Amino acid sequence: MNSSPDTMTRTAIDQLEGYSMNAGRSDSAATRGHHVSAVVPAVRPVVTATSSSRLEQTVKFQTKSLDFFYGDNQVLFNVSLDVPEKSVTALIGPSGCGKSTFLRTLNRMNDIIEGTRHTGDVLLEGTDVYAPQIDVVLLRKRVGMVFQKSTPFPKSIFDNVAYGPRVAGLKNRLRLAGIVEESLKRAALWDEVKDRLNKSAMALSGGQQQRLCIARTLATNPDVILMDEPASALDPASTARVEDLIFELKQNYTIVIVTHNMQQAARVSQQTAFFFQGELVETGDTRRLFTNPTQKQTEDYITGRFG
Amino acid sequence: MSSASTSSMPLASTGASLCRTLSVQRLKEGLIRTGLFACAGVSILTTFGIVAVLFSNAVYDLSPASTSVNGQVQHNAAFFQQVSIREFVTETRWTPQFSEKHFGILPLVCGTLLVSGIAALIGIPIGLCSAIYLSEYSSPRIRAIIKPVLEVLAGIPTVVYGYFALVFVTPYVLRPFFHDLLGFDVSLFNAASAGIVVGVMIIPMISSLSEDVLRSVPRSLREAAYALGSTRFDVSTRVVVPAALSGIIASFLLAIARAMGETMAVTIAAGQMANVTANPFHSVATMTSYIVNVSLGDTEIGSIEEKSIYAVGLTLFLITLSMNIVSQFVLRRFREVYQ
Amino acid sequence: MSDLEVEYAGLLRQRHRIARCFEWCCLIATSSALLFLAVLLAGVIWQAWGWLDLQFLTGFDSRRPSSAGLLAGIWGTFWLILFTTIFTVPVGVGAAIYLEEYSREDWFTRLIKLNLANLAGVPSIVYGMLGVTAFVRMFGMISAADGVTMVISLGFGTLEIPLPLGRCLLAGSFTLSLLILPVVIIASQEALRAVPPSIRHASYALGATDWQTIRHQVLPAAVPGIATGIILALSRAMGETAPLIMIGALTYLAFAPGSLNSPMDAIEDPQRVLDAPFDMFTSMPIQIFNWVGQPKADFQHVAAAGILVLLILLVAFNATAIVIRNRAQKRISW
Ligand SMILES: Nc1ncnc2c1ncn2[C@@H]1O[C@H](COP(=O)(O)OP(=O)(O)O)[C@@H](O)[C@H]1O
Ligand SMILES: [Mg+2]
């Protein structure tokens, strides 16, 4: 029931934190099927039509004719997109075209906005995330999200990173400390903050705050990370660090990133989807899309004729 | 540009009429401005008046040296010119109306703390919970109904609360439960009934101030918390409330200061026994109820008994003022953090 | 999938249960406040049932519960609120205009703003102490023993102003005015601030002076907001008891201020109108307070009847404020 490459990284954490020492394996095995099955769908290998270079790739997320409405205002029209596993998918398009909205349908963040509705399907590993039996709390834990504006909680650095595991029910300080360290290391922030974990996160620089938010997301142990213009408020140096980080992370996580910056999309992503006025105009291998767009609108956009 | 041609043209003689002249119009404007300034000054005068009155009667008499009552020359002396601050602070009896006079503020402060403590116990949890409900849970429609109703609670005169405490809370809530069921000795006038109604009285204050504070926590923090797999409970209690904590505490302080200054409900329901007790079912006198009770009686102007209310008033004023100042400072700091 | 994930999943049901409990707690807390209000109103109506009649509204207080009436309190409250309005409105609105339209952000303005915030938090009884000293006794500058009376002759009667004022209605109104002034100023400031700057700029561009701009453009636009704030503040003054007791309002009084018992009296004998502000007085909440403290059990019903009258008046006041606000919102839409 779990995707195999995933196990590798998890085991790494396990060893680091000594989970295997922990008793209660049999309990876990018993509960596993019962509570989790609805949320963690089985993996179905799907041949992605978009990436011709890789022969067969597992699809992590899939939307099928997705329409989305804020009240009566429809902002997404018939969007069908496959997001391959363990790669970076970039969403580009002029502002207001619905990129953020699309991203937020993937982890149901739009649920908390009054008066929104959708039609069509959003499938995570083949299971509709909007199905009634889906627990949205678990879904969001598995599908993490990083926002444009860094949003550290007004707490210490440690408490920020430990937030997710804590609300999920982890109380053991040692294990928390292990997760915090591991997450900060993966977010390439550990060396900068290891001496001041108990200081307020608000005192960090903008770039550090954003990496902290990434670390905070990693701490909840997601498989997918959604990033909504994560570097657009950062200076070039910090942007470069975040980009490097995304490049690293794609080995273990499926990443969907919204970006305004086409160079960034070209640098970090394998697949790119171009949105225009709520429609998915074109999607495909990043290099192909930037060098040889099939649609006129895409070409206009990437050559800077509008947007 | 035609700069050359303009300079060659003769200057139009409008310059003079643009100059400031002392006209009736200007005079009128100036007078109005001064009048409005004076209006604004009234609030400063009020503060000055309050401080002067309390100081002059309690600490050091500033009024003209002597006044004649019944032909006698009488020297005015403020309360603390007759009673040492030491006695005021350390003595444990407050009996200015008896022949053997003691002036220890402790029983009155104790009564005030008891009543406002009970009020806080009622008002803070309910006020905070309804603030959380209004800001985190309720739909705008429900909110639009609940908020005005809560404000009605704030608009009810305090005598009405006193009446309710005496006529309903004590006989129908406290007596059946604590006396008949649990065997406590509940007197007709007691701190608990007064505390309960004062607690209800401060609910609207706490809930509206705290709700403002909670709402000013940026939406982005809530979204970030949801995105990490939080339930609404997690978001409210682990992110929003902690982020707003200083502001929330400031609203508690304001409300408790209000409870301490609350007069009529306490005068009606809590009785007037100035004693040091922590028993909520006993009659207590608070600072405010003492002042009212002295005012209701026939006290001779200038007597130590009459002066004592100013000493009590000064104590009350200083306590509530400092709580207000602290909470305003905290609230201002809080607002700066979130713009 | 690691153990930890499984552990989390196992805890999930409990987390949702806690979250639901918490929501219920908050809902119950909110409704308990509303429930209290309902019980209070129901209790008062129940106690007042059968006691609120014409005799109660037109009779004076009595030692017998069955014949006790609220008339002295009704007139007392009427005069108190009338004079409080007369004093508060010009001063409060004037101060707000100065603070919003004239003052620069200097130390004096900051001082006034800080001061207003603190004055709003001063217990009302402290205002009573100020009122006694400043108005009733006039700081002892004129002693009560050799007090003077200023006599001003008007066409239809004489205005006799005692100095010091003594325990008269006017002293009560002055005190209430100071008490609600901070609230009125703050509300008026908000109303003025809500008037868009473009209105001012347009007026200045036409060559209007500061005052002309305020008088003809800004104030009319802000009137609904100011009126709402003033009415709410007055309804607070209407329920105030403690400062008036300090001023020396009488708890038992069997006549109305100036012996003006019906509006007709004012026409028949205008002198009574001139006497009213300097007469002794009581007010509705003070009569209620007096009745609550009476040992005879039936006075509880009388008190409830008085409370009901007071609450009805307050509701009327607040309803007026709401109507003004709503109509203004409909009319003006910038
Ligand atoms: N909370 C909201 N309520 C109503 N409309 C919204 C909301 N958020 C976004 N929209 C609208 O949806 C459209 C798409 O917005 P968004 O997804 O943020 O675009 P992008 O991220 O591509 O700039 C815009 O027209 C915007 O006005
Ligand atoms: Mg966006």
Side-chain angles (χ1 to χ4, degrees):
Chain A
M1 74 179 292
N2 49 6
S3 43
S4 50
D6 218 43
T7 328
M8 195 177 69
T9 56
R10 298 297 168 262
T11 331
I13 304 182
D14 286 5
Q15 282 168 352
L16 196 132
E17 295 163 9
Y19 291 170
S20 40
M21 306 292 287
N22 198 30
R25 260 187 190 279
S26 52
D27 276 12
S28 316
T31 43
R32 180 175 299 187
H34 183 247
H35 285 295
V36 191
S37 57
V39 190
V40 187
V43 174
R44 257 189 262 147
V46 181
V47 182
T48 49
T50 48
S51 60
S52 48
S53 55
R54 273 151 287 178
L55 284 173
E56 194 168 274
Q57 195 167 19
T58 317
V59 171
K60 193 75 180 177
F61 254 121
Q62 192 176 31
T63 65
K64 287 183 181 161
S65 358
L66 182 68
D67 293 339
F68 191 87
F69 304 80
Y70 288 106
D72 294 332
N73 179 20
Q74 182 169 3
V75 298
L76 291 181
F77 300 85
N78 196 23
V79 176
S80 299
L81 177 70
D82 289 354
V83 175
E85 185 171 46
K86 296 200 196 309
S87 70
V88 179
T89 300
L91 310 180
I92 60 170
S95 94
C97 67
K99 306 180 296 291
S100 300
T101 303
F102 176 77
L103 199 68
R104 292 161 58 94
T105 56
L106 299 183
N107 66 344
R108 291 180 56 176
M109 281 304 282
N110 285 323
D111 287 16
I112 57 179
I113 300 174
E114 294 247 340
T116 57
R117 70 196 166 83
H118 76 286
T119 59
D121 294 329
V122 181
L123 307 177
L124 171 60
E125 295 178 352
T127 302
D128 184 2
V129 301
Y130 283 92
Q133 76 271 22
I134 292 294
D135 189 318
V136 68
V137 168
L138 266 197
L139 170 73
R140 291 191 188 132
K141 202 165 119 25
R142 274 197 60 193
V143 183
M145 188 163 204
V146 176
F147 300 85
Q148 174 175 11
K149 208 171 139 268
S150 61
T151 50
F153 301 135
K155 301 169 182 270
S156 71
I157 293 169
F158 184 93
D159 288 344
N160 262 279
V161 183
Y163 177 88
R166 271 198 182 131
V167 297
L170 183 62
K171 295 199 177 69
N172 185 325
R173 273 203 70 85
L174 222 62
R175 289 164 82 183
L176 277 174
I179 293 178
V180 168
E181 180 175 346
E182 172 67 16
S183 307
L184 284 169
K185 278 182 175 156
R186 287 180 177 212
L189 191 60
W190 175 250
D191 291 332
E192 290 157 67
V193 301
K194 64 170 184 273
D195 302 323
R196 46 174 172 149
L197 289 177
N198 291 317
K199 297 276 160 51
S200 169
M202 310 301 269
L204 296 175
S205 74
Q208 288 174 324
Q209 286 188 357
Q210 195 59 295
R211 277 179 286 143
L212 178 73
C213 290
I214 294 173
R216 191 172 64 181
T217 302
L218 297 181
T220 67
N221 200 4
D223 330 335
V224 184
I225 303 175
L226 311 175
M227 298 184 169
D228 194 347
E229 305 191 33
S232 70
L234 302 182
D235 60 278
S238 303
T239 303
R241 301 205 61 167
V242 170
E243 281 179 17
D244 289 348
L245 179 56
I246 293 168
F247 207 79
E248 283 293 311
L249 291 173
K250 83 158 200 291
Q251 296 175 13
N252 298 314
Y253 301 89
T254 305
I255 294 175
V256 185
I257 178 171
V258 171
T259 174
H260 245 103
N261 180 329
M262 272 169 291
Q263 283 78 33
Q264 186 171 68
R267 277 194 299 268
V268 301
S269 73
Q270 284 75 55
Q271 181 189 239
T272 296
F274 171 63
F275 280 74
F276 184 65
Q277 291 179 350
E279 290 184 57
L280 179 58
V281 174
E282 185 172 358
T283 170
D285 184 89
T286 296
R287 204 171 317 149
R288 203 270 305 150
L289 189 125
F290 278 106
T291 51
N292 191 11
T294 56
Q295 302 293 316
K296 177 83 169 61
Q297 285 164 322
T298 317
E299 190 179 343
D300 287 350
Y301 182 71
I302 61 179
T303 53
R305 234 164 280 171
F306 69 87
Chain B
M1 291 303 284
S2 57
S3 61
S5 69
T6 356
S7 63
S8 65
M9 269 162 66
L11 270 172
S13 59
T14 51
S17 65
L18 281 176
C19 284
R20 295 166 154 235
T21 50
L22 191 67
S23 64
V24 179
Q25 180 68 34
R26 282 190 55 75
L27 198 68
K28 189 179 147 202
E29 288 282 320
L31 278 177
I32 287 169
R33 196 194 154 100
T34 314
L36 296 175
F37 176 79
C39 290
V42 170
S43 78
I44 299 280
L45 277 183
T46 309
T47 308
F48 187 75
I50 288 172
V51 172
V53 164
L54 293 176
F55 184 84
S56 169
N57 284 288
V59 182
Y60 185 85
D61 198 286
L62 301 166
S63 67
S66 58
T67 43
S68 58
V69 175
N70 308 335
Q72 285 177 317
V73 174
Q74 188 198 340
H75 290 276
N76 292 323
F79 181 82
F80 285 121
Q81 288 172 300
Q82 301 172 58
V83 176
S84 69
I85 292 195
R86 203 191 136 86
E87 178 181 355
F88 190 68
V89 175
T90 56
E91 171 66 57
T92 58
R93 283 163 296 177
W94 179 261
T95 56
Q97 286 152 308
F98 299 170
S99 53
E100 193 199 332
K101 295 185 190 308
H102 293 284
F103 298 99
I105 190 76
L106 192 67
L108 298 184
V109 170
C110 191
T112 298
L113 288 182
L114 185 58
V115 171
S116 45
I118 296 168
L121 229 52
I122 301 275
I124 286 180
I126 296 184
L128 180 59
C129 281
S130 37
I132 293 175
Y133 185 78
L134 288 174
S135 103
E136 306 298 313
Y137 285 92
S138 75
S139 67
R141 252 188 50 235
I142 301 224
R143 203 171 147 268
I145 298 168
I146 292 180
K147 272 194 76 120
V149 181
L150 280 177
E151 261 146 44
V152 170
L153 218 48
I156 290 178
T158 61
V159 263
V160 180
Y161 280 101
Y163 167 86
F164 191 76
L166 190 65
V167 177
F168 289 91
V169 176
T170 299
Y172 297 122
V173 179
L174 295 181
R175 282 254 165 94
F177 191 70
F178 289 100
H179 182 263
D180 302 348
L181 218 64
L182 300 176
F184 284 100
D185 185 19
V186 180
S187 38
L188 175 61
F189 299 105
N190 58 69
S193 64
I196 289 171
V197 292
V198 174
V200 174
M201 208 183 295
I202 61 175
I203 288 173
M205 190 169 182
I206 295 177
S207 82
S208 91
L209 283 172
S210 296
E211 192 209 336
D212 284 350
V213 166
L214 290 174
R215 283 175 155 260
S216 64
V217 172
R219 191 187 168 80
S220 61
L221 279 192
R222 292 186 177 84
E223 294 205 337
Y226 279 119
L228 291 166
S230 303
T231 61
R232 210 178 269 251
F233 167 75
D234 299 325
V235 175
S236 306
T237 59
R238 290 182 193 245
V239 175
V240 182
V241 169
L245 198 60
S246 62
I248 290 173
I249 287 174
S251 79
F252 293 167
L253 271 185
L254 275 179
I256 292 172
R258 164 90 199 280
M260 292 178 125
E262 169 38 45
T263 310
M264 293 321 291
V266 178
T267 309
I268 292 171
Q272 37 183 310
M273 299 281 287
N275 50 25
V276 182
T277 176
N279 186 336
F281 305 118
H282 277 185
S283 165
V284 294
T286 65
M287 294 191 267
T288 52
S289 72
Y290 172 75
I291 296 172
V292 169
N293 282 317
V294 170
S295 308
L296 281 169
D298 293 323
T299 46
E300 195 188 327
I301 292 172
S303 66
I304 183 75
E305 195 185 334
E306 195 255 350
K307 294 287 179 197
S308 71
I309 65 173
Y310 291 94
V312 175
L314 181 64
T315 313
L316 178 67
F317 178 73
L318 290 180
I319 293 175
T320 53
L321 182 71
S322 47
M323 289 171 82
N324 278 321
I325 289 177
V326 169
S327 56
Q328 275 160 34
F329 176 76
V330 174
L331 274 177
R332 178 134 14 97
R333 283 278 302 275
F334 174 80
R335 292 203 178 105
E336 275 162 13
V337 172
Y338 297 114
Q339 276 89 50
Chain C
M1 161 155 274
S2 75
D3 291 353
L4 200 56
E5 294 301 305
V6 176
E7 194 182 322
Y8 290 160
L11 285 170
L12 200 62
R13 188 175 285 183
Q14 190 190 345
R15 286 176 64 202
H16 282 302
R17 201 163 50 229
I18 292 172
R20 251 195 321 278
C21 280
F22 181 72
E23 179 172 2
W24 274 103
C25 285
C26 288
L27 181 61
I28 288 168
T30 312
S31 1
S32 72
L34 307 185
L35 184 74
F36 184 96
L37 182 66
V39 170
L40 188 149
L41 293 179
V44 168
I45 291 171
W46 172 54
Q47 288 282 305
W49 199 257
W51 290 81
L52 179 57
D53 50 20
L54 200 64
Q55 190 273 329
F56 178 75
L57 293 173
T58 56
F60 288 111
D61 204 354
S62 162
R63 301 284 175 217
R64 276 181 300 126
S66 56
S67 53
L70 193 62
L71 192 60
I74 294 174
W75 275 109
T77 295
F78 168 77
W79 288 113
L80 279 170
I81 295 303
L82 179 71
F83 287 114
T84 304
T85 313
I86 292 173
F87 303 137
T88 313
V89 171
V91 177
V93 177
I97 291 175
Y98 179 79
L99 292 174
E100 284 303 309
E101 307 290 324
Y102 284 94
S103 72
R104 271 158 288 132
E105 191 59 34
D106 56 6
W107 66 270
F108 184 73
T109 322
R110 275 207 302 279
L111 179 72
I112 290 183
K113 281 178 182 163
L114 187 73
N115 185 42
L116 282 175
N118 283 313
L119 274 181
V122 171
S124 61
I125 192 141
V126 174
Y127 282 94
M129 300 180 140
L130 172 65
V132 168
T133 314
F135 306 127
V136 175
R137 290 186 214 141
M138 295 196 156
F139 299 106
M141 285 186 289
I142 311 162
S143 79
D146 46 39
V148 290
T149 306
M150 264 169 65
V151 180
I152 301 169
S153 188
L154 302 170
F156 53 94
T158 51
L159 200 59
E160 291 174 20
I161 307 172
L163 293 174
L165 277 175
R167 301 172 166 258
C168 71
L169 194 142
L170 204 58
S173 282
F174 278 131
T175 308
L176 290 182
S177 299
L178 293 189
L179 178 65
I180 64 170
L181 203 54
V183 185
V184 171
I185 296 176
I186 291 169
S188 304
Q189 276 183 288
E190 268 162 25
L192 289 170
R193 219 173 294 148
V195 177
S198 57
I199 286 196
R200 296 180 180 86
H201 296 164
S203 175
Y204 284 129
L206 295 172
T209 62
D210 284 348
W211 177 245
Q212 285 165 342
T213 304
I214 293 162
R215 172 74 189 75
H216 298 289
Q217 306 302 328
V218 180
L219 257 188
V223 155
I226 293 175
T228 309
I230 288 172
I231 291 174
L232 292 179
L234 286 175
S235 67
R236 168 161 176 220
M238 207 143 99
E240 274 298 343
T241 321
L244 295 179
I245 289 177
M246 298 234 48
I247 293 297
L250 295 171
T251 50
Y252 182 91
L253 194 65
F255 60 87
S259 301
L260 191 87
N261 297 337
S262 82
M264 285 308 292
D265 292 350
I267 300 163
E268 284 166 16
D269 186 3
Q271 177 64 37
R272 292 186 182 187
V273 179
L274 298 181
D275 288 343
F278 307 103
D279 209 344
M280 292 183 285
F281 70 104
T282 187
S283 77
M284 289 199 276
I286 289 174
Q287 281 202 288
I288 294 165
F289 168 65
N290 181 39
W291 288 326
V292 172
Q294 294 296 321
K296 278 185 203 157
D298 273 351
F299 270 116
Q300 300 313 326
H301 298 295
V302 181
I307 288 172
L308 206 52
V309 175
L310 184 59
L311 290 183
I312 289 169
L313 274 177
L314 288 176
V315 167
F317 259 59
N318 283 283
T320 315
I322 290 169
V323 168
I324 291 178
R325 187 163 46 192
N326 288 350
R327 278 185 40 187
Q329 271 167 3
K330 243 175 256 163
R331 192 160 46 85
I332 306 167
S333 50
W334 28 63

